[in-house]
Amino acid sequence: MEATPDIELRGQRARWRIEPQIPDEIRAELAGESVMLAHLLYCRGFTTAEQIRAFLAGGTISHDPFLLPDMDAAVERIATAIERGERVAVYGDFDCDGITSAVVLVETLRALGGEPIPYLPSREDGHGLHPEGLAALSDQGATLVVTADCGVSAIEEVRVARGMGMDVVVTDHHEVRADLSLPDCPVVNPTRHDSEYPCRHLCGVGVAFKLVQALSRRMPGRVDPDSLLDLVALGTVADVASLVDENRSLVIRGLDRLRSTRRPGLLALFEVAGVDPARIDPISVSFYLAPRINAANRMASPQLAYDLITAGDPAEAMRLAHRLSAHNQERQLLVAETLQGITAQLGDPETVAGEIRAGRRPPLLIVVGTWPAGISGLLAAKLVDAYGVPAFAGTDAGAGTISVSARGVPGVHIDELIERCEAALPAGLFLGYGGHASAGGFRIEAAKLPQARELLAEQSTASIRIDEIGAALTIDAEVGLRRLTLDAARRVRSLAPFGMGFPEPLFLTRGARLKRLSARQDSAHVKLTLQQGDGLIDGIYFNATDEFRRLPIWSALDVVYHLQIDQWQGLQKPQACIRDWRESSQV
């Protein structure tokens, strides 16, 4: 690694912030360890030699499930229901995390001898418990409802369920209400203010898995929690949960299970998505598997995804996988077309950033249209990527209401932003709301939307630092191309899996020459070769800009990239995956 001060630069699409080097005193304590790996871990929040050494030593992190609040009460109520032969319902959510959470609990209850009733709300129903769904479960004889990835704010709904003669056990990971009130039932949730659970970042399927672990202790020999880890990894990565602490261990172990899974539904999904099971990683899940599962609720019904995951017949699984893939293609086209229209109205990112800095617009984006509600979250996420500020995308939900999905940026908690708006009015503002730090949403009467815009503008202006707006890339180190050996790439990849909270390392090289550029007209990607003195590396640039495609050979460039390994016909070599660039003043 080159000695680079902690500075900011500007690339074609983002600000570049270079991390400071690991302090000399920590390096000295880690004598014998890789300096590069120690630095990369230091940049990811491992700020002591002890923490870095423990990470490099490996090992599984698995906290006692009974440290979660109300776990004892939840286990006892479920075990009693099983022993008495009660009908237990599992009330899930419609996204990948909610669906995998529901499957985990349904399979567990069956293994314990129960006959659970699975229930998934539609996106039109909205997140959380609904009286209509509870009534349907009551009509089927349910006396206990166990939620999966929902319910932490369902105070009135739990009261309704009890009025129908049903008890409720909540398993959730979303933030509690601003006033810290909880439903009157066991609430297993690591984000509770009174929670002492060491890993606050579990997602819905992670909480469900911990419940399974606890049940396996209470009723030993009937269920193997580890057999569910393939679903835990799928849901955790899909929900963009932080890959730290216990989440990291769950995903590592779960990816191993995914690579050897025998579930016909997942095998069909791999084949249709073009994913090699032996090479499944968080990128495979994030870009190829989870989008197809989520396409069910965005473009059709979440039941399609549930049926695929639980399918026992390979032929039926393949049919469902093809249906989900078709829905995903439809979703991709719709998002691209809608986003093009939105960005044309908003203006280019630099212009928008300039208006925000000048105080002519608040440091967030709010767009409302007539697109399907299922793509609002995707639109918000893409707006965040393009403009670098929190984004809210809403659409007509019928009956005079607007459904809004939001995505945040580092340092801005979407759930807190929404809660402050709700608390600003004595009678509240929203018909319903929820979420966590990076994502959330609300439903609101259309007539109150202007008021919501005004309050969101006020709250964002008061809490978001103007000097940090715009897309940004955090660079781990500046390196010369001669340092990019296959051994270096292997060392970097040894830190995988990468994801939220543990990003893939980014490197900067300045003054590299563009030796080769291969840009096909029928592909959005280009292949290239960079040279710097005696250093040489091949690279790839996904979704390369037209400006990059037109660069003349031997152009001098500063490039930001991930260091990866290219495998072809059994051979391996280092490869630079370009994230951003600019013309270089260094020659």
Side-chain angles (χ1 to χ4, degrees), residues 341-365:
I342 291 173
T343 54
Q345 294 178 6
L346 291 173
D348 68 87
E350 277 302 307
T351 300
V352 171
E355 292 177 350
I356 293 174
R357 294 190 186 97
R360 292 193 295 272
R361 64 189 307 164
L364 85 169
L365 300 174

PDB file of all heavy atoms in Angstrom, residues 341-365:
ATOM      1  N   GLY A 341     -37.462   8.415 -16.852  1.00  0.00           N
ATOM      2  CA  GLY A 341     -38.357   9.558 -16.797  1.00  0.00           C
ATOM      3  C   GLY A 341     -38.151  10.401 -15.546  1.00  0.00           C
ATOM      4  O   GLY A 341     -38.193  11.644 -15.603  1.00  0.00           O
ATOM      5  N   ILE A 342     -37.916   9.751 -14.403  1.00  0.00           N
ATOM      6  CA  ILE A 342     -37.724  10.482 -13.151  1.00  0.00           C
ATOM      7  C   ILE A 342     -36.454  11.325 -13.200  1.00  0.00           C
ATOM      8  O   ILE A 342     -36.453  12.512 -12.838  1.00  0.00           O
ATOM      9  CB  ILE A 342     -37.673   9.499 -11.965  1.00  0.00           C
ATOM     10  CG1 ILE A 342     -39.045   8.874 -11.736  1.00  0.00           C
ATOM     11  CG2 ILE A 342     -37.215  10.212 -10.686  1.00  0.00           C
ATOM     12  CD1 ILE A 342     -39.033   7.761 -10.697  1.00  0.00           C
ATOM     13  N   THR A 343     -35.360  10.721 -13.638  1.00  0.00           N
ATOM     14  CA  THR A 343     -34.091  11.455 -13.658  1.00  0.00           C
ATOM     15  C   THR A 343     -34.119  12.597 -14.672  1.00  0.00           C
ATOM     16  O   THR A 343     -33.464  13.628 -14.469  1.00  0.00           O
ATOM     17  CB  THR A 343     -32.922  10.505 -13.973  1.00  0.00           C
ATOM     18  OG1 THR A 343     -33.196   9.781 -15.186  1.00  0.00           O
ATOM     19  CG2 THR A 343     -32.728   9.516 -12.849  1.00  0.00           C
ATOM     20  N   ALA A 344     -34.874  12.422 -15.743  1.00  0.00           N
ATOM     21  CA  ALA A 344     -35.007  13.518 -16.708  1.00  0.00           C
ATOM     22  C   ALA A 344     -35.687  14.726 -16.069  1.00  0.00           C
ATOM     23  O   ALA A 344     -35.346  15.885 -16.364  1.00  0.00           O
ATOM     24  CB  ALA A 344     -35.797  13.049 -17.929  1.00  0.00           C
ATOM     25  N   GLN A 345     -36.650  14.466 -15.186  1.00  0.00           N
ATOM     26  CA  GLN A 345     -37.335  15.554 -14.489  1.00  0.00           C
ATOM     27  C   GLN A 345     -36.468  16.167 -13.392  1.00  0.00           C
ATOM     28  O   GLN A 345     -36.455  17.386 -13.208  1.00  0.00           O
ATOM     29  CB  GLN A 345     -38.632  15.047 -13.883  1.00  0.00           C
ATOM     30  CG  GLN A 345     -39.680  14.621 -14.904  1.00  0.00           C
ATOM     31  CD  GLN A 345     -40.942  14.080 -14.239  1.00  0.00           C
ATOM     32  OE1 GLN A 345     -41.085  14.111 -13.033  1.00  0.00           O
ATOM     33  NE2 GLN A 345     -41.855  13.563 -15.048  1.00  0.00           N
ATOM     34  N   LEU A 346     -35.715  15.333 -12.679  1.00  0.00           N
ATOM     35  CA  LEU A 346     -34.912  15.840 -11.567  1.00  0.00           C
ATOM     36  C   LEU A 346     -33.702  16.629 -12.034  1.00  0.00           C
ATOM     37  O   LEU A 346     -33.307  17.611 -11.398  1.00  0.00           O
ATOM     38  CB  LEU A 346     -34.443  14.670 -10.687  1.00  0.00           C
ATOM     39  CG  LEU A 346     -35.511  13.941  -9.873  1.00  0.00           C
ATOM     40  CD1 LEU A 346     -34.896  12.715  -9.198  1.00  0.00           C
ATOM     41  CD2 LEU A 346     -36.111  14.865  -8.822  1.00  0.00           C
ATOM     42  N   GLY A 347     -33.095  16.204 -13.130  1.00  0.00           N
ATOM     43  CA  GLY A 347     -31.861  16.828 -13.586  1.00  0.00           C
ATOM     44  C   GLY A 347     -30.667  15.958 -13.243  1.00  0.00           C
ATOM     45  O   GLY A 347     -30.777  14.970 -12.518  1.00  0.00           O
ATOM     46  N   ASP A 348     -29.486  16.322 -13.752  1.00  0.00           N
ATOM     47  CA  ASP A 348     -28.304  15.501 -13.523  1.00  0.00           C
ATOM     48  C   ASP A 348     -27.839  15.662 -12.075  1.00  0.00           C
ATOM     49  O   ASP A 348     -28.120  16.662 -11.408  1.00  0.00           O
ATOM     50  CB  ASP A 348     -27.187  15.878 -14.493  1.00  0.00           C
ATOM     51  CG  ASP A 348     -26.636  17.263 -14.210  1.00  0.00           C
ATOM     52  OD1 ASP A 348     -25.718  17.375 -13.381  1.00  0.00           O
ATOM     53  OD2 ASP A 348     -27.159  18.236 -14.789  1.00  0.00           O
ATOM     54  N   PRO A 349     -27.142  14.664 -11.544  1.00  0.00           N
ATOM     55  CA  PRO A 349     -26.747  14.672 -10.131  1.00  0.00           C
ATOM     56  C   PRO A 349     -25.945  15.881  -9.702  1.00  0.00           C
ATOM     57  O   PRO A 349     -26.139  16.399  -8.598  1.00  0.00           O
ATOM     58  CB  PRO A 349     -25.926  13.375  -9.989  1.00  0.00           C
ATOM     59  CG  PRO A 349     -26.507  12.463 -11.026  1.00  0.00           C
ATOM     60  CD  PRO A 349     -26.839  13.361 -12.185  1.00  0.00           C
ATOM     61  N   GLU A 350     -25.035  16.362 -10.532  1.00  0.00           N
ATOM     62  CA  GLU A 350     -24.227  17.507 -10.147  1.00  0.00           C
ATOM     63  C   GLU A 350     -25.075  18.767  -9.994  1.00  0.00           C
ATOM     64  O   GLU A 350     -24.873  19.570  -9.090  1.00  0.00           O
ATOM     65  CB  GLU A 350     -23.111  17.741 -11.171  1.00  0.00           C
ATOM     66  CG  GLU A 350     -21.892  16.874 -10.961  1.00  0.00           C
ATOM     67  CD  GLU A 350     -21.281  17.071  -9.584  1.00  0.00           C
ATOM     68  OE1 GLU A 350     -21.002  18.224  -9.200  1.00  0.00           O
ATOM     69  OE2 GLU A 350     -21.100  16.068  -8.873  1.00  0.00           O
ATOM     70  N   THR A 351     -26.045  18.934 -10.899  1.00  0.00           N
ATOM     71  CA  THR A 351     -26.933  20.092 -10.798  1.00  0.00           C
ATOM     72  C   THR A 351     -27.764  20.032  -9.529  1.00  0.00           C
ATOM     73  O   THR A 351     -27.914  21.024  -8.804  1.00  0.00           O
ATOM     74  CB  THR A 351     -27.864  20.167 -12.024  1.00  0.00           C
ATOM     75  OG1 THR A 351     -27.073  20.295 -13.206  1.00  0.00           O
ATOM     76  CG2 THR A 351     -28.816  21.350 -11.919  1.00  0.00           C
ATOM     77  N   VAL A 352     -28.300  18.849  -9.238  1.00  0.00           N
ATOM     78  CA  VAL A 352     -29.104  18.680  -8.030  1.00  0.00           C
ATOM     79  C   VAL A 352     -28.256  18.933  -6.786  1.00  0.00           C
ATOM     80  O   VAL A 352     -28.685  19.614  -5.847  1.00  0.00           O
ATOM     81  CB  VAL A 352     -29.722  17.270  -7.988  1.00  0.00           C
ATOM     82  CG1 VAL A 352     -30.374  17.000  -6.631  1.00  0.00           C
ATOM     83  CG2 VAL A 352     -30.746  17.106  -9.101  1.00  0.00           C
ATOM     84  N   ALA A 353     -27.022  18.391  -6.771  1.00  0.00           N
ATOM     85  CA  ALA A 353     -26.138  18.602  -5.626  1.00  0.00           C
ATOM     86  C   ALA A 353     -25.837  20.087  -5.433  1.00  0.00           C
ATOM     87  O   ALA A 353     -25.810  20.589  -4.298  1.00  0.00           O
ATOM     88  CB  ALA A 353     -24.839  17.824  -5.816  1.00  0.00           C
ATOM     89  N   GLY A 354     -25.630  20.806  -6.553  1.00  0.00           N
ATOM     90  CA  GLY A 354     -25.371  22.235  -6.457  1.00  0.00           C
ATOM     91  C   GLY A 354     -26.558  22.996  -5.879  1.00  0.00           C
ATOM     92  O   GLY A 354     -26.388  23.919  -5.066  1.00  0.00           O
ATOM     93  N   GLU A 355     -27.763  22.617  -6.280  1.00  0.00           N
ATOM     94  CA  GLU A 355     -28.965  23.278  -5.750  1.00  0.00           C
ATOM     95  C   GLU A 355     -29.143  23.000  -4.256  1.00  0.00           C
ATOM     96  O   GLU A 355     -29.572  23.883  -3.503  1.00  0.00           O
ATOM     97  CB  GLU A 355     -30.198  22.801  -6.527  1.00  0.00           C
ATOM     98  CG  GLU A 355     -30.228  23.275  -7.972  1.00  0.00           C
ATOM     99  CD  GLU A 355     -31.413  22.727  -8.733  1.00  0.00           C
ATOM    100  OE1 GLU A 355     -32.097  21.832  -8.196  1.00  0.00           O
ATOM    101  OE2 GLU A 355     -31.662  23.178  -9.869  1.00  0.00           O
ATOM    102  N   ILE A 356     -28.782  21.781  -3.840  1.00  0.00           N
ATOM    103  CA  ILE A 356     -28.881  21.459  -2.412  1.00  0.00           C
ATOM    104  C   ILE A 356     -27.870  22.270  -1.612  1.00  0.00           C
ATOM    105  O   ILE A 356     -28.198  22.846  -0.570  1.00  0.00           O
ATOM    106  CB  ILE A 356     -28.669  19.946  -2.191  1.00  0.00           C
ATOM    107  CG1 ILE A 356     -29.837  19.159  -2.800  1.00  0.00           C
ATOM    108  CG2 ILE A 356     -28.539  19.640  -0.701  1.00  0.00           C
ATOM    109  CD1 ILE A 356     -29.642  17.662  -2.764  1.00  0.00           C
ATOM    110  N   ARG A 357     -26.643  22.344  -2.105  1.00  0.00           N
ATOM    111  CA  ARG A 357     -25.626  23.105  -1.391  1.00  0.00           C
ATOM    112  C   ARG A 357     -25.978  24.585  -1.322  1.00  0.00           C
ATOM    113  O   ARG A 357     -25.642  25.267  -0.355  1.00  0.00           O
ATOM    114  CB  ARG A 357     -24.263  22.923  -2.070  1.00  0.00           C
ATOM    115  CG  ARG A 357     -23.714  21.506  -2.004  1.00  0.00           C
ATOM    116  CD  ARG A 357     -22.274  21.449  -2.471  1.00  0.00           C
ATOM    117  NE  ARG A 357     -21.810  20.060  -2.543  1.00  0.00           N
ATOM    118  CZ  ARG A 357     -21.782  19.331  -3.634  1.00  0.00           C
ATOM    119  NH1 ARG A 357     -22.193  19.849  -4.788  1.00  0.00           N
ATOM    120  NH2 ARG A 357     -21.363  18.091  -3.610  1.00  0.00           N
ATOM    121  N   ALA A 358     -26.655  25.062  -2.345  1.00  0.00           N
ATOM    122  CA  ALA A 358     -27.039  26.482  -2.371  1.00  0.00           C
ATOM    123  C   ALA A 358     -28.294  26.750  -1.551  1.00  0.00           C
ATOM    124  O   ALA A 358     -28.719  27.908  -1.428  1.00  0.00           O
ATOM    125  CB  ALA A 358     -27.252  26.926  -3.813  1.00  0.00           C
ATOM    126  N   GLY A 359     -28.898  25.689  -1.010  1.00  0.00           N
ATOM    127  CA  GLY A 359     -30.084  25.870  -0.177  1.00  0.00           C
ATOM    128  C   GLY A 359     -31.366  26.032  -0.961  1.00  0.00           C
ATOM    129  O   GLY A 359     -32.400  26.401  -0.385  1.00  0.00           O
ATOM    130  N   ARG A 360     -31.340  25.725  -2.261  1.00  0.00           N
ATOM    131  CA  ARG A 360     -32.542  25.889  -3.080  1.00  0.00           C
ATOM    132  C   ARG A 360     -33.442  24.653  -3.056  1.00  0.00           C
ATOM    133  O   ARG A 360     -34.546  24.689  -3.552  1.00  0.00           O
ATOM    134  CB  ARG A 360     -32.152  26.230  -4.524  1.00  0.00           C
ATOM    135  CG  ARG A 360     -31.510  27.609  -4.672  1.00  0.00           C
ATOM    136  CD  ARG A 360     -31.447  28.030  -6.125  1.00  0.00           C
ATOM    137  NE  ARG A 360     -30.585  27.187  -6.919  1.00  0.00           N
ATOM    138  CZ  ARG A 360     -29.274  27.385  -7.072  1.00  0.00           C
ATOM    139  NH1 ARG A 360     -28.686  28.390  -6.458  1.00  0.00           N
ATOM    140  NH2 ARG A 360     -28.544  26.571  -7.817  1.00  0.00           N
ATOM    141  N   ARG A 361     -32.949  23.536  -2.505  1.00  0.00           N
ATOM    142  CA  ARG A 361     -33.762  22.342  -2.349  1.00  0.00           C
ATOM    143  C   ARG A 361     -33.234  21.552  -1.164  1.00  0.00           C
ATOM    144  O   ARG A 361     -32.058  21.638  -0.828  1.00  0.00           O
ATOM    145  CB  ARG A 361     -33.780  21.497  -3.624  1.00  0.00           C
ATOM    146  CG  ARG A 361     -32.471  20.920  -4.048  1.00  0.00           C
ATOM    147  CD  ARG A 361     -32.546  20.292  -5.445  1.00  0.00           C
ATOM    148  NE  ARG A 361     -33.624  19.323  -5.558  1.00  0.00           N
ATOM    149  CZ  ARG A 361     -34.102  18.873  -6.726  1.00  0.00           C
ATOM    150  NH1 ARG A 361     -33.597  19.340  -7.868  1.00  0.00           N
ATOM    151  NH2 ARG A 361     -35.065  17.993  -6.771  1.00  0.00           N
ATOM    152  N   PRO A 362     -34.089  20.784  -0.503  1.00  0.00           N
ATOM    153  CA  PRO A 362     -33.646  20.037   0.674  1.00  0.00           C
ATOM    154  C   PRO A 362     -32.749  18.866   0.279  1.00  0.00           C
ATOM    155  O   PRO A 362     -32.774  18.406  -0.867  1.00  0.00           O
ATOM    156  CB  PRO A 362     -34.953  19.549   1.284  1.00  0.00           C
ATOM    157  CG  PRO A 362     -35.900  19.473   0.132  1.00  0.00           C
ATOM    158  CD  PRO A 362     -35.534  20.615  -0.766  1.00  0.00           C
ATOM    159  N   PRO A 363     -31.966  18.352   1.238  1.00  0.00           N
ATOM    160  CA  PRO A 363     -31.031  17.259   0.939  1.00  0.00           C
ATOM    161  C   PRO A 363     -31.682  15.875   0.915  1.00  0.00           C
ATOM    162  O   PRO A 363     -31.251  14.947   1.595  1.00  0.00           O
ATOM    163  CB  PRO A 363     -30.008  17.378   2.075  1.00  0.00           C
ATOM    164  CG  PRO A 363     -30.798  17.920   3.203  1.00  0.00           C
ATOM    165  CD  PRO A 363     -31.795  18.878   2.594  1.00  0.00           C
ATOM    166  N   LEU A 364     -32.734  15.764   0.149  1.00  0.00           N
ATOM    167  CA  LEU A 364     -33.371  14.468  -0.103  1.00  0.00           C
ATOM    168  C   LEU A 364     -34.234  14.596  -1.345  1.00  0.00           C
ATOM    169  O   LEU A 364     -34.511  15.711  -1.805  1.00  0.00           O
ATOM    170  CB  LEU A 364     -34.202  13.999   1.082  1.00  0.00           C
ATOM    171  CG  LEU A 364     -35.652  14.473   1.249  1.00  0.00           C
ATOM    172  CD1 LEU A 364     -36.357  13.679   2.330  1.00  0.00           C
ATOM    173  CD2 LEU A 364     -35.738  15.952   1.552  1.00  0.00           C
ATOM    174  N   LEU A 365     -34.659  13.454  -1.881  1.00  0.00           N
ATOM    175  CA  LEU A 365     -35.504  13.441  -3.068  1.00  0.00           C
ATOM    176  C   LEU A 365     -36.837  12.803  -2.726  1.00  0.00           C
ATOM    177  O   LEU A 365     -36.888  11.773  -2.044  1.00  0.00           O
ATOM    178  CB  LEU A 365     -34.839  12.657  -4.198  1.00  0.00           C
ATOM    179  CG  LEU A 365     -33.483  13.171  -4.695  1.00  0.00           C
ATOM    180  CD1 LEU A 365     -32.892  12.193  -5.701  1.00  0.00           C
ATOM    181  CD2 LEU A 365     -33.622  14.557  -5.312  1.00  0.00           C
TER     182      LEU A 365
END
